Amino acid sequence: MLRFILNRVLMALPTIALVAITVFALIRFIPGDPAELMLGDMAQPAQIEALRAELGLDQSLPQQFLIWLGNVLHGDFGQSIVNGEAVLPLVLDRFVVSAEIVVVAVFLASLIAVPAGVIAAWRQNSVTDLALVGSATVLLSIPTFWLGLLLMLFFGLKLGWLPVLGYVSIRDNATAGLLYLILPVMTLVIHEMGVLIRMARASTLEVLRLDYITHARAKGLSESAVLWRHAFKNAFGPTWTMIGLILGNLLGGIAVIETVFTIPGLGRLMVESIFARDYPVIQACLLVVALSYVLVNLVVDLLYPLFDPRVVAE
């Protein structure tokens, strides 16, 4: 087991290094001079050159990368060009907001969709199966921004049960914070359920065709015992991988939801920074999103042997 963990961690290191290089290169290829943006249009050439030297922009690209990497490893992502704030606390505060929504949404979607997918596989070609698969297809087809607007219109404006715009931190006011989270979380839950239902159904069908399931039935076990005690654990592995992919993707990919509900999350910060050409914030956002994706999938890989012990022996 220890060897498996070390192999997975060592395999993640080149990916993290590639992510750092890619993020640095992408920002350097964006047109424009950060020094000119920070000083404004009225700045003198001497002032611009002095600031470029202070920021290390007058160095070669390899030297700039090493300087930037050293600063990042010490937690220094620079300052925002727009407001002069330290970038790392700003990005982390926004990341926490996005993480609250995403983690809760993925957990609830998994809690509902995985059993539904297993039941659909168990009742293959029945009315239940057709209804669940059809519902999953419809849910996958609905754009999240449109679904969010519908939920706002119905629960917020028509019924008046929930707030439709804004955000209150759970740490500041737990009751109000939960109310503001319900609609964005519900939007993500409904959309992601479609993916998970289909994935859980496909993996369960594959397991139900294996010989050991036939043997378990031949021993006289009930269908529920065969399904949940024997089939579910082995069938959950691929679905667990999909849950990790969804979680990693949503941590940096809910800018649309955050914009619809005016939530101050990481995705919205990234969009605002792109329009403002705030290079240090864009760079930090990209790096945090990419590292989150890598680390979430590393955790998924490390926990995979709980569902399929054979991967440790490979």
Side-chain angles (χ1 to χ4, degrees):
M1 185 65 181
L2 181 60
R3 181 180 177 183
F4 170 79
I5 294 174
L6 289 175
N7 285 338
R8 288 297 186 271
V9 172
L10 290 175
M11 288 171 62
L13 293 179
T15 305
I16 293 173
L18 184 60
V19 163
I21 294 171
T22 303
V23 169
F24 175 82
L26 285 174
I27 297 300
R28 289 305 182 273
F29 290 139
I30 294 177
D33 188 341
E36 292 182 7
L37 287 175
M38 294 176 71
L39 294 174
D41 296 334
M42 304 301 293
Q44 299 296 320
Q47 294 176 307
I48 295 175
E49 289 301 322
L51 184 56
R52 285 178 56 83
E54 180 182 342
L55 297 175
L57 298 176
D58 59 341
Q59 306 289 329
S60 65
L61 283 178
Q63 289 175 313
Q64 289 184 41
F65 174 73
L66 293 176
I67 293 171
W68 172 78
L69 184 60
N71 291 336
V72 167
L73 292 176
H74 286 88
D76 181 9
F77 285 78
Q79 293 181 326
S80 169
I81 295 176
V82 174
N83 54 32
E85 292 184 33
V87 170
L88 184 58
L90 175 64
V91 171
L92 291 181
D93 286 343
R94 298 293 191 95
F95 178 78
V96 170
V97 174
S98 297
E100 287 177 354
I101 298 170
V102 168
V103 172
V104 173
V106 172
F107 174 76
L108 292 177
S110 304
L111 199 63
I112 299 169
V114 172
V118 172
I119 292 171
W122 178 41
R123 304 295 300 275
Q124 185 182 13
N125 297 328
S126 68
V127 175
T128 302
D129 180 29
L130 295 175
L132 287 171
V133 173
S135 300
T137 304
V138 171
L139 295 179
L140 276 173
S141 305
I142 301 176
T144 52
F145 74 89
W146 188 71
L147 178 59
L149 292 173
L150 286 181
L151 294 176
M152 288 169 59
L153 177 64
F154 184 71
F155 290 103
L157 300 180
K158 294 290 185 183
L159 299 178
W161 291 353
L162 298 169
V164 295
L165 298 174
Y167 172 79
V168 175
S169 174
I170 295 178
R171 292 164 289 179
D172 297 333
N173 188 323
T175 303
L178 288 173
L179 288 176
Y180 276 96
L181 285 179
I182 289 176
L183 285 180
V185 167
M186 190 185 302
T187 302
L188 291 177
V189 167
I190 292 173
H191 186 266
E192 300 306 330
M193 277 175 55
V195 180
L196 292 176
I197 287 174
R198 293 176 67 90
M199 187 67 196
R201 178 183 181 274
S203 57
T204 303
L205 281 175
E206 184 177 350
V207 171
L208 288 176
R209 297 189 183 104
L210 297 178
D211 291 340
Y212 83 96
I213 297 295
T214 304
H215 179 68
R217 284 171 171 157
K219 291 196 304 182
L221 295 177
S222 64
E223 281 297 309
S224 61
V226 171
L227 185 65
W228 297 109
R229 285 170 49 189
H230 294 274
F232 176 71
K233 184 176 180 179
N234 289 330
F236 186 65
T239 308
W240 172 248
T241 301
M242 179 59 69
I243 291 172
L245 292 173
I246 291 173
L247 181 60
N249 184 56
L250 288 180
L251 283 173
I254 60 169
V256 173
I257 295 298
E258 291 171 353
T259 302
V260 169
F261 292 100
T262 64
I263 297 170
L266 185 64
R268 190 176 172 198
L269 174 65
M270 192 184 305
V271 172
E272 293 171 350
S273 301
I274 290 172
F275 282 113
R277 298 177 72 180
D278 195 344
Y279 298 122
V281 176
I282 297 171
Q283 202 166 32
C285 288
L286 289 174
L287 188 61
V288 168
V289 168
L291 289 179
S292 299
Y293 194 90
V294 172
L295 293 176
V296 165
N297 284 279
L298 175 61
V299 172
V300 168
D301 282 347
L302 294 179
L303 293 179
Y304 199 93
L306 296 176
F307 313 108
D308 190 355
R310 292 172 299 176
V311 299
V312 180
E314 292 178 357

